[in-house]
Each structure stands twice: as structure tokens, then as C-alpha cells.
Amino acid sequence: MANTGFPALTILWLLPLVGAAVVVALPARMSHVAKSVALAVSLGVLVIAVVLGITFDRGGQQFQFVERHSWIPAFGASYSLGLDGIALVLVLLTAVLVPLLLIAGWNDVPAVPSENPETLETPETSDEPPRRLPHTYFALILVVESMVLLSFSALDVLLFYIFFEAMLIPMYFLIGGFGGANRSRAAVKFLLYNLLGGLVMLAAVVGLYVVTARAESPFTSGTFDFQAIAAAAANGDLGVGPGVLNALFLGFMFAFAVKAPLWPLHSWLPDSAVESTPSTAVLMMAVVDKVGTFAMIRYCLQLFPESSATFAPWIITLAVIGIVYGAILAIGQTDIMRLIAYTSISHFGFIILGIFAMTSQSQAGSALYMVNHGISTAALFLIAGFLVSQRGTRAIAAYGGVQKVAPVLAGTFLIAGLATLSLPGLAPFISEFLVLIGTYTRYHVAAIVATSALVLSAIYILWLYQRVMGGPEKEGSDKIRDLVRRELVVVAPLIALLLFLGIYPKPALDIITPAVNHTVVDEVPTPVIADPHAEEGAHP
């Protein structure tokens, strides 16, 4: 099936989009049916993704399941899809998380109290979430899933850009339509930041097309074909000077740094995460934001290898600042959800650090980190969301002694928290270890400073657990119950994955490593600013 001509990737991304249309078309009174249809569609996507994972040839071509059709021939744009190992593991992550998010958010939007459409809205000035059809909520999640899957599989720069930007619209409505009291402000902030990045990237995409259309380029006409442009870039054959390539690189990188996010372009994330429903926040941090880090590997490194090397020390500096900054701010938070959001800023710093250290260890670690962060953040944020939904407040000071009344909730929260601080034996440990080892071979100081976050993460997680789960019971603890069956269905697979990938990460690394080798060994030159030991650690 790896290259049979069967349109598996088209079906993969179209299925949730068609499912969303079906969900929205259902009558308002059929909210339970709409939820069930959305869940069934997401499980169908998971089945397809698993089949792709099983049939993927780890020793085969870099891109598999390739589909290619003419789209806009006048501009050299094509409908081109394909997966390498890095894209495949992110597709699997997305396909695993979305059904769990739908189950976790089953009651996030209450069923319609009557068939009168006028009862579905609340004033935008209300502190309560707006009362809207659960159909819309579930359909928007499926639309986001569809666009993310297409972004991971696109092999045409223009096709990728369109869906990279289009996913902002359903995310905007998920945050602004179904969030908390300050949802509108958070949604607008999310949209403005990401639209700014997208506009800068659009100029770079147009500039890249102009470069390929020049007579000096190796192409007969302008093109958006990723593989063709990457091959020419690897040979230094694009026919333009480093100044132009650097400008184009910065245009792409700026958009991806906003999406990821990279310090200092991160400030939209905490507000968006806190004001969203837990399922929306996890969808954003664990899935959508991964498109940014994935695109750094796919587009920045492979289309602009020399520019990536030129700017690597600067990006690594920003990444290290983000690692420490996010951890320090997490320690000082009094809001459970905001604390977890700041930990993600620190973790994204680790991912970007590994990408631009440009060693095979660090990039394999970064790719695996994307998966492990998605799982650990989903577990921690959703469990915290289950707790907050019962007590009705995000304030850490309002909790205490939860482990006495909800031991399963407290125990799973502890496991997810320990995964977040990269405890050995849990999934994030091996990815963080690979990032730090790979980075140290070229950038000693950056790796040493980043290591300080290990201590800081222990402080914010263990202190959070002590305040919320330990100590005497506080007033209102009688409102808290343990995880029920629906919540256990969500949490149990995530905990199982954290344990499995922590003990046996080989299946994921076997898929990721060949794709990393194509990026690092074949296409990325030695950075212009590097440690003298770089050659020793570049290829393990």
C-alpha cells in the first residue's frame, strides 16, 4: 500500500471534513447522534492512520503513499501528498488524540434545551460560555483535524500554506465560541498573532515562486513542488544569492515560530489555552501547534539549508530563553491551567532547540518530543480540566487534599505530571535526553543552560501536586468525585502510551530516524557557528 496509487491520504483528510458536514446537517434535537457520528468518524480516521503506520516501509523511499495530480498548472501548483516518518508519527498522534478529545469534551457544550433557535445564544458580555449547538463544537474539531492531517501530508508549498492558514478559522471559533469569560479577547489575540505570521509567510511563498521562475533557476517555469525545490536547494542550485534565501527563510520561520510558539512570539498561547475548553486547548497545544515545529523541519531546513545553518545559533538562543522563561513563569502561576500552558512554552523550546542543533540525535529527539509532548500535555491538561469542571475554579489555592477524595484522579495527575518533568521511564524522558545529548555535541552552553529546566520543571510540577492533591482537605472538596468511566476511557490510553513509549520508544524512533537522516545527513550543511566537536557528534 506504500505506493499503490490508492488515495489513502486523500481519504484520511477528507473523511473528517465530510464527517463535519454530516454532523452540522443533523437536526438540533439530535445532539447525541451528532456526537456519536463525530466520534465514529474520528475512529475511522484512526483506523486509516494505523493502517498507514503498519504498511509504511521503514527502509523504503523517503516519501510514501504519494499522490500527485495537477491543480493549478499555470502556477506550477499541484495536489501532491506524501508522508515521511516524521509526518507519519504526527498523523498517528493526531488520529489518536482527536477521538479522546471528543470523548473528553462530550459534555463541554450542553444539549439544546428546546428547539427554539433563539435560546441557543447568550449575550457576549456574559461570563458564562455561550449556549450553542454541540453539533458545531464537534464539527469544528473534525475540521481542524482534517486541515492538520493535510498540512502534515502536503508536498506542495502552496497547498501546505493554504491549509496552514485555513486551520486558524475553526480554531478561532472553537476558542471564541465555546470558551470562558474572556474568550473573545483570547480568540482575537490568537487570530491576530497567527494571521500576522501567515501574511509574512505568504510574502515568502510568493518570493520562493519568483525564485523558481527565474531564468537562472533549474526549473523550466515557476513551481511550488516541495521535492523539486528541496533537491535544487540541497545542490545550491536555486540561482539566487544568500541574501534572498535568508529573507525567504526568515519569512517561513517567522510564521512557524508564531505557530509553535517560540519566545518572544508566545504570548497568545496562555490566554488561548486558559479561555478554551480543555479539549480545545489540548487540540491547540498538542496538535495544531505541532504543525509549526514540523514545518521547521520540513520547509525551513530542507528548502533553505544554508540559511538554517546561518540563523541556527540565534534561534537556539531564543529556544533556550523560552525553555527557562516558560519554566520560571510556570512556577509563579496561581492558575492550574495557565501553569500547564506555560510548561508547553518551555517544552516547545526544547523541540526547537533540537531541530536547529542539526544533529541526528537532537532532531530525532525533537520529532519524538512532538509526539511525547502531545500525549503528556493531553493527559495533564484533561485531568486538570476534569478537576476544575467539578470544583468550578482554576485557582490553585482553592484546592487541597484531593488525593483523599479522588485517589485515581490524583494518581493519574501525578503520572502525567512526572511525564511532563521527563522522569526516566516515561515517554518524554528519552526525547528530552536525545535533544540535550545531540545539542551538547555542538552547542555546549545551550545544552547546559537548557538542562536547568529539568530542576525548574520538578519544582513547578511537584509543588503543584503538593498544593492541589496533598495536605488537608479544603472547603468545597466534597464537590469533587473521582474519575468516572468516560473520563477513565480518555485518561487510560494516554497513561498507557506514556508508559509504553517511555520503556520502549524503538517503534517510533525506527520510523523517525530515516526521515531525520534525509534532513540532517544529506541536506543540512555544518552550521557556520559551531563547536569544534561538531563533527564528532553530528552522525552517531
Side-chain angles (χ1 to χ4, degrees), residues 150-220:
L150 184 53
S151 296
F152 287 143
S153 55
L155 292 180
D156 182 274
V157 177
L158 182 61
L159 181 66
F160 168 82
Y161 172 77
I162 290 173
F163 284 87
F164 177 81
E165 285 296 285
M167 71 179 71
L168 300 179
I169 305 305
M171 280 304 306
Y172 169 80
F173 286 111
L174 279 171
I175 298 169
F178 302 93
N182 296 316
R183 58 189 178 272
S184 296
R185 178 179 177 274
V188 169
K189 191 174 183 179
F190 163 83
L191 190 63
L192 289 178
Y193 266 78
N194 284 275
L195 279 179
L196 174 61
L199 289 174
V200 174
M201 182 180 170
L202 176 60
V205 169
V206 173
L208 181 63
Y209 175 81
V210 171
V211 167
T212 64
R214 285 163 49 92
E216 295 85 353
S217 77
F219 308 103
T220 56

Side-chain angles (χ1 to χ4, degrees), residues 240-262:
V240 292
V244 174
L245 295 176
N246 288 347
L248 296 178
F249 166 84
L250 290 174
F252 278 79
M253 183 62 199
F254 181 79
F256 303 151
V258 172
K259 179 84 79 177
L262 174 66

Side-chain angles (χ1 to χ4, degrees), residues 492-514:
L494 297 173
I495 299 298
L497 285 170
L498 289 175
L499 292 170
F500 175 77
L501 290 174
I503 297 170
Y504 190 60
K506 185 177 183 297
L509 286 173
D510 284 349
I511 297 174
I512 290 169
T513 301

Side-chain angles (χ1 to χ4, degrees), residues 330-372:
I331 292 173
Q333 296 306 308
T334 58
D335 181 312
I336 296 177
M337 301 309 217
R338 190 172 288 273
L339 185 154
I340 300 172
Y342 274 109
T343 68
S344 282
I345 294 173
S346 182
H347 295 146
F348 275 110
F350 273 109
I351 295 171
I352 297 170
L353 172 65
I355 291 171
F356 283 93
M358 294 187 185
T359 66
S360 53
Q361 303 106 313
S362 67
Q363 286 200 354
S366 288
L368 185 61
Y369 210 138
M370 294 184 215
V371 177
N372 292 338

Side-chain angles (χ1 to χ4, degrees), residues 253-333:
M253 183 62 199
F254 181 79
F256 303 151
V258 172
K259 179 84 79 177
L262 174 66
W263 184 91
L265 304 172
H266 66 282
S267 64
W268 61 268
L269 178 63
D271 290 339
S272 298
V274 167
E275 296 302 329
S276 302
T277 66
S279 289
T280 298
V282 172
L283 183 68
M284 177 179 65
M285 293 187 293
V287 176
V288 172
D289 291 352
K290 297 300 187 301
V291 178
T293 48
F294 162 79
M296 292 177 190
I297 298 176
R298 170 68 59 85
Y299 296 97
C300 287
L301 296 192
Q302 298 189 60
L303 296 183
F304 313 103
E306 295 181 359
S307 298
S308 297
T310 298
F311 289 101
W314 300 99
I315 297 171
I316 285 174
T317 300
L318 296 180
V320 171
I321 292 173
I323 290 169
V324 178
Y325 171 88
I328 291 175
L329 262 64
I331 292 173
Q333 296 306 308

